[in-house]
Amino acid sequence: MDLTFAPNEAQFRDELRGWLAANGPGPEPEGEDAQYAWRRDWQRKLHEGGWAGVHWPVEYGGRGATLVESAIFYEELARSGHPLPANVLGLLLGGPTLMVWGTDEQKERYLTPILSAEEIWCQGFSEPDAGSDFAAVKTRAVEQPDGSFRVTGQKVWTSGAQYSKWCMLVARTDSGAAKHKGLTYFLMDMGQPQVQVRPLVQITGESEFNELFLEDAVIPAENVVGGVGNGWKVALTTLMNERAGLAFGLQVRLRVMIDELTQIAAENGQLEDPRVADQLGELHLRCEILRLTAYRGLTATMKYGQPGPEGSLTKWMWSETNQMLTQFAADVVGPEALTMGTKWSYELLRARGNTIEGGTTEILKNIVAERVLGLPKAK
Ligand SMILES: Cc1cc2nc3c(=O)[nH]c(=O)nc-3n(C[C@H](O)[C@H](O)[C@H](O)COP(=O)(O)OP(=O)(O)OC[C@H]3O[C@@H](n4cnc5c(N)ncnc54)[C@H](O)[C@@H]3O)c2cc1C
């Protein structure tokens, strides 16, 4: 692993920095819907500038950036303080999954509107009784004589469903087959009355995610991705991309917050307190480990062509470190960090979900133990 940047990578970073400095999304408006619309406009701007699907191949409308350039993109985006594009699930999960498993027609139909934020995507995997044990999904898709499917069941924690046109839906097509084998991966049109979206309110007061109630929802045969009964494998591609994709941006976000806290502690004279200095040192160390581990994951992706289980390690480390940092912020910033409506209180409350979303820490530890370290499987 070579940690120095080649001249063309440094040039890519400079060009991107210049573009981000000149083309920000402007001030964030108040209110969830307005904020979402703002992030959607931001993605349109990124798309027009050729920066929406940086890591997507040129043939699919992307920039064809290398993995290192893509990592630089997420680092620089986080450093600029600009938000992630609105269709982050389409860009990082849906598009790359279609590139691996989709038919030519599906790639032709779906990829461009993902990039331009014309069609937003959500991920309908989790159910009330199927989260970590995701293969236990009960939502049923029944094939009709014309080859289409009728889908009935419930999904939960579906982020961004209220803004989405397409849902990456995993449903059971064969209840007689072994758990992992009877699943199929679909693209479900959210704009039908048989799909009801009910927002759930989070601890932060936002409704980032929703319940989905499906009552005979219709999915045409051409919206099956990767073949009937092959949903488990297709879904794994989505999950691996979920855990690997954001690592670079997230570690820079941590770095920005650690530097901010260090600055506040210095101004308050708290750096003289060994407990504060010790905690800042620990956070600094974790952030550096995270950065280097993210690069190690990148090397593995370059070798195997797809993100591997190492992404689980960075997601686990980041989520725990972010919780540690946001809790520690209350000691440094003071009561403001515990007052609703402030930046630090938002970060503290939002961080609670980090060790659950995208795979809980316990599940990620199992993946790291079994698939990275080669330890025996849990019974
Ligand atoms: C902010 C946020 C956004 C989300 N967005 C989406 C989304 O867009 N789409 C979507 O499909 N889902 C989404 N989720 C759901 C998320 O993927 C699930 O919450 C997660 O997979 C855990 O499932 P669960 O909540 O059913 O908990 P459970 O699986 O019931 O787990 C409960 C507890 O048991 C532990 N546990 C379970 N199994 C094991 C095991 N084998 N070994 C050790 N411990 C175990 C878990 O670690 C956890 O602590 C989101 C969640 C959050 C918090």
Side-chain angles (χ1 to χ4, degrees):
M1 186 171 61
D2 180 3
L3 288 172
T4 52
F5 289 114
N8 58 320
E9 290 162 351
Q11 194 188 338
F12 176 90
R13 183 189 291 270
D14 292 344
E15 188 191 340
L16 173 60
R17 258 189 207 173
W19 190 89
L20 288 169
N23 293 281
E28 186 175 10
E30 293 278 326
E32 257 183 272
D33 289 348
Q35 281 162 0
Y36 196 86
W38 172 71
R39 283 180 51 212
R40 201 166 179 166
D41 284 346
W42 170 227
Q43 184 173 333
R44 290 191 185 111
K45 208 168 185 181
L46 284 165
H47 181 52
E48 281 159 22
W51 296 104
V54 184
H55 61 302
W56 286 25
V58 174
E59 59 178 308
Y60 300 136
R63 203 178 185 90
T66 62
L67 286 167
V68 174
E69 286 167 343
S70 171
I72 291 173
F73 174 80
Y74 284 103
E75 281 189 345
E76 288 302 318
L77 181 64
R79 190 166 286 125
S80 71
H82 301 333
L84 283 170
N87 201 10
V88 67
L89 296 184
L91 287 170
L92 291 182
L93 276 55
T97 302
L98 273 194
M99 288 173 209
V100 176
W101 295 101
T103 60
D104 288 344
E105 290 74 22
Q106 287 172 336
K107 291 176 195 167
E108 174 80 20
R109 161 65 188 82
Y110 294 105
L111 293 178
T112 303
I114 291 179
L115 283 177
S116 62
E118 200 182 312
E119 293 180 345
I120 304 294
W121 284 41
C122 64
Q123 180 188 14
F125 284 20
S126 304
E127 295 184 3
D129 292 320
S132 302
D133 186 12
F134 154 60
V137 298
K138 292 200 185 100
T139 292
R140 290 199 59 210
V142 180
E143 195 166 357
Q144 306 299 302
D146 67 355
S148 69
F149 291 81
R150 292 288 174 122
V151 189
T152 300
Q154 188 194 341
K155 295 286 171 182
V156 72
W157 320 126
T158 321
S159 303
Q162 67 272 52
Y163 305 114
S164 295
K165 164 73 177 159
W166 296 107
C167 178
M168 300 169 253
L169 184 93
V170 176
R172 190 159 298 284
T173 34
D174 183 353
S175 41
K179 214 159 113 181
H180 296 74
K181 297 213 167 126
L183 301 173
T184 300
Y185 194 113
F186 297 97
L187 296 182
M188 181 178 73
D189 189 340
M190 298 288 285
Q192 50 183 314
Q194 299 94 317
V195 178
Q196 295 269 328
V197 178
R198 294 192 203 151
L200 292 164
V201 181
Q202 287 159 254
I203 193 174
T204 52
E206 301 168 300
S207 294
E208 230 178 311
F209 49 39
N210 305 267
E211 291 177 297
L212 291 191
F213 293 91
L214 313 175
E215 192 72 53
D216 267 338
V218 180
I219 305 184
E222 64 263 26
N223 287 21
V224 169
V225 181
V228 174
N230 200 30
W232 177 253
K233 279 197 187 150
V234 183
L236 281 189
T237 304
T238 304
L239 290 173
M240 292 303 174
N241 278 289
E242 180 171 22
R243 286 164 199 163
L246 289 171
F248 288 93
L250 293 175
Q251 55 85 14
V252 173
R253 245 190 120 239
L254 268 183
R255 165 58 53 209
V256 170
M257 289 202 285
I258 294 169
D259 289 350
E260 209 176 312
L261 277 186
T262 309
Q263 176 76 25
I264 297 170
E267 283 162 12
N268 296 347
Q270 288 169 301
L271 287 184
E272 307 308 316
D273 181 340
R275 288 167 304 175
V276 172
D278 186 51
Q279 189 72 353
L280 283 169
E282 167 83 20
L283 286 167
H284 168 74
L285 197 64
R286 277 175 165 262
C287 195
E288 278 301 288
I289 293 170
L290 191 58
R291 187 172 69 85
L292 296 173
T293 311
Y295 274 103
R296 202 170 62 180
L298 195 70
T299 310
T301 310
M302 281 171 174
K303 239 194 231 161
Y304 306 116
Q306 282 291 311
E310 295 82 2
S312 298
L313 190 59
T314 42
K315 198 276 167 171
W316 157 23
M317 282 178 62
W318 165 76
S319 55
E320 291 199 339
T321 308
N322 198 37
Q323 288 183 352
M324 191 190 259
L325 172 107
T326 51
Q327 245 162 321
F328 172 61
D331 293 341
V332 175
V333 178
E336 191 207 310
L338 300 173
T339 308
M340 196 74 180
T342 59
K343 168 194 141 111
W344 287 106
S345 78
Y346 174 81
E347 296 290 349
L348 177 69
L349 295 175
R350 183 59 185 81
R352 296 289 90 203
N354 295 162
T355 42
I356 305 172
E357 61 196 313
T360 69
T361 294
E362 290 76 16
I363 294 300
L364 301 181
K365 283 181 179 174
N366 283 346
I367 294 174
V368 171
E370 289 165 19
R371 300 189 43 208
V372 180
L373 299 176
L375 297 175
K377 263 189 174 306
K379 290 256 156 58

